[in-house]
Amino acid sequence: MNFKELANSRYTTKKYDSNQKISSEHIQQLQEILRLSPSSINSQPWKFTFISDENVKNELAAVSYFNEQKIKDASHLVVFSSIDDIALFEKQINDHLPEGSVGYYNQFLKPLPETEIKSWLQSQVYLSLGFFLSACASMGIDSSPMEGIQSEKYGQILKLNGYKPLFAVAIGYRNPEDANQPSVKAKSRLEMGDILEII
């Protein structure tokens, strides 16, 4: 299946088959793919938490608004978090990035207000989301990206000191009765002319 076909077939799963679990081999592949995600200046200001433990998954589901049932039924929940401690981030890049990358940060980003620096850090995590959803689709794994979580409570449950949970992704295999799948409900997208400009 080529990438366009994958884009047509992937969708946000609303109902999972709770009896189907993702193999440990596929989970390891997804973890490695996330590790290889792109980020500006290779900053990598993130943490990815994979949860399969049913007790923890249920605890997180309870603080996930309308996403509770899909989290309970999904095979795994993956929480995407951004570094929320600028000193911690600066130590990381000083320890791991080349001088040119650190110099870019010091010249163009460090002088900005803290809120803008953190916004830039969080934007890098969103880059990894697109990478992850595409990887899932290529492996025949269904997914549901969700910003509808109580971030502070997620951080407390997962003890994410220095990191802020931004969103979560439920992954697993669709319930055949899921009414949101493309074979039942056609994809709705804007027309090409509405979003694309060629200069």
Side-chain angles (χ1 to χ4, degrees):
M1 187 179 292
N2 64 36
F3 198 86
K4 183 182 175 184
E5 290 171 333
L6 285 176
N8 273 321
S9 63
R10 95 143 294 277
Y11 76 107
T12 297
T13 304
K14 301 295 186 184
K15 192 173 184 180
Y16 284 90
D17 182 345
S18 60
N19 295 315
Q20 284 200 68
K21 303 300 178 186
I22 301 171
S23 70
S24 58
E25 179 185 355
H26 280 166
I27 291 297
Q28 288 170 9
Q29 287 180 35
L30 288 173
Q31 291 168 348
E32 179 64 12
I33 287 166
L34 275 177
R35 191 181 73 85
L36 295 171
S37 294
S39 59
S40 180
I41 66 166
N42 199 22
S43 51
Q44 306 173 72
W46 45 47
K47 185 183 289 289
F48 309 111
T49 309
F50 280 69
I51 301 114
S52 60
D53 181 277
E54 292 299 328
N55 291 329
V56 178
K57 198 148 63 78
N58 288 339
E59 195 174 355
L60 293 168
V63 291
S64 301
Y65 302 112
F66 299 109
N67 294 308
E68 182 171 359
Q69 193 59 49
K70 68 173 70 78
I71 291 172
K72 287 183 174 181
D73 291 340
S75 173
H76 290 67
L77 184 69
V78 185
V79 179
F80 289 63
S81 303
S82 170
I83 289 181
D84 200 46
D85 180 332
I86 292 175
L88 176 64
F89 174 69
E90 291 179 351
K91 181 181 186 309
Q92 175 178 299
I93 62 173
N94 282 314
D95 289 346
H96 297 287
L97 294 188
E99 183 178 340
S101 297
V102 176
Y104 175 90
Y105 170 80
N106 287 334
Q107 182 175 355
F108 297 108
L109 295 165
K110 189 168 183 172
L112 297 175
E114 182 176 310
T115 53
E116 290 189 38
I117 297 173
K118 288 185 177 181
S119 176
W120 179 82
L121 295 172
Q122 292 171 13
S123 294
Q124 309 316 310
V125 183
Y126 276 88
L127 290 177
S128 71
L129 173 62
F131 212 57
F132 182 72
L133 296 179
S134 298
C136 286
S138 75
M139 296 163 66
I141 294 169
D142 294 308
S143 59
S144 307
M146 301 170 290
E147 288 184 303
I149 65 171
Q150 295 183 46
S151 176
E152 187 174 336
K153 291 183 179 178
Y154 263 59
Q156 292 168 356
I157 292 167
L158 298 174
K159 300 178 175 60
L160 291 172
N161 297 322
Y163 290 83
K164 178 181 180 179
L166 300 179
F167 52 87
V169 181
I171 56 174
Y173 300 99
R174 72 189 69 174
N175 186 311
E177 297 179 359
D178 185 3
N180 204 46
Q181 55 191 311
S183 61
V184 177
K185 179 183 178 182
K187 275 181 176 279
S188 175
R189 296 292 189 271
L190 294 172
E191 294 297 325
M192 192 75 78
D194 294 330
I195 62 165
L196 186 69
E197 183 176 1
I198 300 173
I199 298 174

